Amino acid sequence: MMGLLDQLVGQVAAAAGGQGQDGASQGGLMDGVMTMINNAGGVPALLEQLKASGLGDQVASWVGTGDNLPVSASQLADALGAGHLAQVAQQAGVEPQHAASGLAQLLPQLIDQLSPGGQMPEGNLLSQGLSMLAGKFLG
């Protein structure tokens, strides 16, 4: 599981910042995602925000056990709003459109990894899983 996330964050960071396998870029993008999730009120609140913005089918596929439906950078930008996107972009050191593109690749996989067996873990387990993933990329 962690090998997949290592590879995924590396690809996203390269696409978003054009900086290859630079650890700071990877950490910056993941740090931005973590801050966005915290500011949204946690993973469940973020998922509810995405669902309310018309991305219910995508969110259900990310949490479910089947294939993840894709989401475009513009769909995420509309759903998240300029404030969240600007924050992620600033922490990742990229332009907002690059952050949206990176999030469109990272968020479905991140949510998929946090919801083994098609269910989001409850409260403390979800926080522990998210902290573990963050520690992997920020530590």
Side-chain angles (χ1 to χ4, degrees):
M1 176 168 87
M2 296 313 278
L4 171 66
L5 285 175
D6 282 333
Q7 180 181 2
L8 179 66
V9 172
Q11 290 170 354
V12 171
Q19 299 173 7
Q21 296 294 321
D22 180 39
S25 295
Q26 293 175 22
L29 185 61
M30 191 64 182
D31 189 33
V33 169
M34 293 292 298
T35 300
M36 178 189 69
I37 288 171
N38 288 334
N39 288 343
V43 174
L46 176 64
L47 296 181
E48 286 304 315
Q49 179 182 350
L50 294 174
K51 287 178 190 177
S53 298
L55 298 176
D57 289 343
Q58 287 89 338
V59 169
S61 75
W62 305 343
V63 174
T65 57
D67 291 337
N68 293 333
L69 292 176
V71 63
S72 72
S74 63
Q75 286 175 309
L76 271 182
D78 291 344
L80 295 173
H84 285 307
L85 195 56
Q87 187 173 52
V88 172
Q90 181 182 9
Q91 288 187 292
V94 298
E95 294 296 318
Q97 67 268 21
H98 294 299
S101 184
L103 284 174
Q105 295 176 43
L106 179 61
L107 204 53
Q109 294 298 322
L110 179 64
I111 299 304
D112 187 55
Q113 294 297 322
L114 288 172
S115 58
Q119 297 291 321
M120 291 301 291
E122 293 297 320
N124 202 26
L125 286 176
L126 178 59
S127 296
Q128 289 173 3
L130 195 54
S131 295
M132 180 191 73
L133 289 174
K136 174 71 176 163
F137 297 109
L138 302 177

